[in-house]
């Protein structure tokens, strides 16, 4: 997968959050950084709420809430490797290894460095019992070419050695074409800013590509909080949560039902805000089914109160056209039933 975006959009923090979450879940994560020194990344993890400590055997650990995992920087010595193995066996989380990458050294340097870190961090038998994840931050800093064989070798290595490979990539205004690396990855997260209220910019995340096609499309807001790290607010779920949390005043007027069936349930959307005596305007361009939506209001009223009457004043459609519209929608057929209907 790839995390891409302009400078300052939160790519490294999102990659660190993913890496630390996988380590806390009991997996081995190698974070190869060419943009910052490992100690600066640890500072970002502290900002996200992780506290640093040392266990009884001297292995450094990061902890937040009820999760913890071991971590090491650059070269993993024998003591740290042994401690990581014991961590896996005891079920006390996984391990995060932060390693510095040489800038613009090409695929061979990345491959050799990753292989060395894998070998140092944990032996093969213990590694097979856990998922492995590798993060390269950023791919632009470790190689400045876009040759097909370089990326095929890199992605082939990541697929062979890792269960999850994460590439961080930087985008610029002058380079908007789809790069070869974006064709080869299975998923692309695009981070950007969205201007709201003229002067305020919020961070947004969009899944541009996903081979499984089972993602929630659109731009989703996210924020970076002190003590919590990255929080993502999915667009649809966030809207629904706002409606659920909204506190209502006690109803003073009788509510009007606008529900015909489970497929046409506007009462759920309007939260019964339509009351008797109120006026509702349905507005939209041509061919947006405004008439049918208005007729659904009448049909819902007749369904809720079968002995009631309703009135449709049409200034554009004649009675035959209105009847044709009603017959098009099965939910509206109640408007044509019975002997009480009349056309004026």
């Amino acid at each position: 997968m790839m995390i891409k975006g302009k400078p300052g959009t939160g790519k490294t923090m999102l990659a660190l959050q993913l890496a630390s979450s996988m380590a806390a879940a009991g997996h081995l994560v190698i974070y190869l950084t060419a943009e910052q020194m490992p100690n600066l990344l640890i500072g970002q993890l502290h900002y996200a709420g992780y506290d640093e400590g040392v266990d009884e055997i001297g292995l450094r650990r990061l902890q937040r809430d009820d999760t913890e995992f071991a971590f090491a920087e650059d070269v993993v010595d024998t003591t740290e490797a042994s401690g990581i193995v014991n961590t896996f066996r005891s079920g006390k989380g996984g391990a995060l290894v932060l390693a510095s990458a040489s800038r613009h050294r090409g695929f061979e340097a990345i491959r050799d460095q990753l292989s060395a870190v894998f070998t140092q961090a944990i032996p093969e038998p213990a590694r097979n019992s856990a998922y492995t994840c590798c993060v390269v931050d950023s791919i632009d800093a470790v190689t400045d070419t876009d040759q097909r064989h370089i990326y095929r070798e890199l992605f082939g290595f990541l697929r062979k050695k890792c269960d999850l490979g994460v590439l961080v990539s930087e985008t610029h205004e002058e380079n908007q074409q789809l790069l070869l690396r974006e064709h080869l990855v299975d998923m692309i997260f695009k981070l950007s800013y969205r201007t709201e209220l003229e002067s305020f910019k919020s961070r947004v995340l969009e899944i541009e590509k996903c081979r499984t096609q089972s993602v929630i499309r659109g731009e989703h807001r996210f924020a970076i909080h002190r003590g919590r790290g990255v929080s993502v607010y999915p667009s649809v779920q966030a809207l629904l949560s706002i409606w659920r949390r909204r506190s209502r005043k006690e109803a003073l007027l009788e509510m009007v039902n606008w529900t015909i069936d489970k497929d046409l349930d506007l009462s759920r959307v309007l939260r019964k805000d339509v009351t008797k005596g109120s006026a509702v305007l349905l507005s939209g361009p041509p061919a947006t089914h405004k008439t049918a939506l208005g007729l659904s209001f009448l049909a819902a009223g007749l369904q809720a109160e079968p002995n009631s009457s309703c009135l449709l004043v049409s200034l554009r459609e004649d009675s035959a056209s209105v009847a044709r519209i009603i017959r098009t929608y099965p939910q509206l057929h109640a408007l044509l039933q019975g002997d009480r209907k009349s056309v004026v």
Side-chain angles (χ1 to χ4, degrees):
M1 64 180 293
M2 175 180 291
I3 301 174
K4 72 173 188 178
K6 295 179 182 179
T9 51
K11 302 183 298 296
T12 295
M13 182 60 82
L14 180 60
L16 275 175
Q17 185 95 347
L18 176 62
S20 56
S21 297
M22 288 200 67
H27 309 306
L28 172 65
V29 183
I30 310 297
Y31 197 108
L32 196 62
T33 172
E35 299 284 351
Q36 304 181 54
M37 295 300 293
N39 62 313
L40 297 179
L41 295 180
I42 295 174
Q44 289 184 263
L45 288 173
H46 289 165
Y47 181 87
Y50 286 95
D51 297 320
E52 185 176 346
V54 180
D55 63 13
E56 61 275 4
I57 64 172
L59 188 65
R60 299 168 68 187
R61 305 188 67 82
L62 288 172
Q63 182 176 5
R64 186 178 72 176
D65 299 331
D66 57 347
T67 62
E68 63 174 315
F69 55 89
F71 80 98
E73 297 178 52
D74 283 322
V75 179
V76 182
D77 59 29
T78 305
T79 302
E80 288 177 323
S82 176
I84 292 174
V85 173
N86 292 332
T87 296
F88 277 102
R89 290 174 177 172
S90 62
K92 295 181 178 180
L96 171 63
V97 179
L98 303 174
S100 300
S102 302
R103 295 178 63 89
H104 299 294
R105 292 290 302 277
F107 162 71
E108 290 78 9
I110 301 174
R111 178 194 60 198
D112 295 342
Q113 189 170 5
L114 286 174
S115 297
V117 173
F118 272 114
T119 303
Q120 293 169 348
I122 185 168
E124 193 69 32
R127 192 186 313 150
N128 291 336
S129 63
Y131 289 107
T132 55
C133 171
C134 178
V135 181
V136 180
D137 184 7
S138 70
I139 190 65
D140 307 277
V142 295
T143 178
D144 53 4
T145 65
D146 199 38
Q147 298 179 11
R148 180 174 295 273
H149 76 278
I150 293 293
Y151 286 107
R152 288 199 179 279
E153 290 182 17
L154 173 59
F155 292 175
F157 173 83
L158 292 177
R159 288 191 174 100
K160 181 179 179 180
K161 291 286 187 179
C162 306
D163 297 284
L164 176 63
V166 181
L167 303 176
V168 179
S169 178
E170 195 164 287
T171 59
H172 301 278
E173 289 288 352
E174 64 273 10
N175 186 16
Q176 295 294 328
Q177 73 271 22
L178 190 64
L179 300 176
L180 173 62
R181 66 188 75 165
E182 298 179 11
H183 285 288
L184 297 177
V185 295
D186 300 312
M187 182 179 293
I188 299 177
F189 286 81
K190 179 184 177 182
L191 309 187
S192 58
Y193 286 104
R194 183 168 64 193
T195 302
E196 301 183 21
L197 302 177
E198 295 184 358
S199 59
F200 176 74
K201 290 185 177 181
S202 61
R203 285 186 167 98
V204 293
L205 179 153
E206 180 182 5
I207 303 177
E208 279 194 335
K209 175 183 178 181
C210 181
R211 296 200 190 278
T212 62
Q213 296 295 313
S214 57
V215 300
I216 301 176
R217 298 189 177 275
E219 293 183 339
H220 312 288
R221 288 184 179 89
F222 76 98
I224 301 175
H225 302 285
R226 179 183 295 275
R228 287 193 294 159
V230 177
S231 296
V232 180
Y233 308 99
S235 56
V236 176
Q237 284 84 344
L239 179 60
L240 290 176
S241 67
I242 292 174
W243 283 98
R244 289 169 183 161
R245 291 197 302 265
R246 187 185 64 166
S247 58
R248 294 184 54 88
K249 293 183 179 179
E250 194 65 31
L252 300 178
L253 299 174
E254 185 178 354
M255 304 300 173
V256 176
N257 179 64
W258 199 338
T259 300
I260 297 180
D261 54 29
K262 62 181 181 63
D263 296 319
L264 211 167
D265 186 359
L266 286 175
S267 293
R268 181 182 179 188
V269 178
L270 299 171
R271 301 282 289 186
K272 299 182 179 180
D273 274 344
V274 180
T275 60
K276 285 191 174 182
S278 62
V280 178
L281 174 65
L282 299 179
S283 176
T288 53
H289 305 277
K290 300 182 295 297
T291 301
L293 193 59
L295 288 169
S296 73
F297 176 76
L298 300 181
L302 287 179
Q303 180 174 293
E305 300 179 30
N307 297 322
S308 62
S309 301
C310 61
L311 173 67
L312 171 65
V313 179
S314 177
L315 304 180
R316 175 174 296 180
E317 309 287 353
D318 58 20
S319 59
S321 298
V322 172
R324 187 166 55 251
I325 294 173
I326 293 173
R327 292 190 184 97
T328 303
Y329 299 88
Q331 296 99 325
L332 305 181
H333 288 180
L335 293 173
L336 298 178
Q337 296 174 357
D339 56 357
R340 299 182 62 219
K341 64 179 183 296
S342 61
V343 179
V344 179

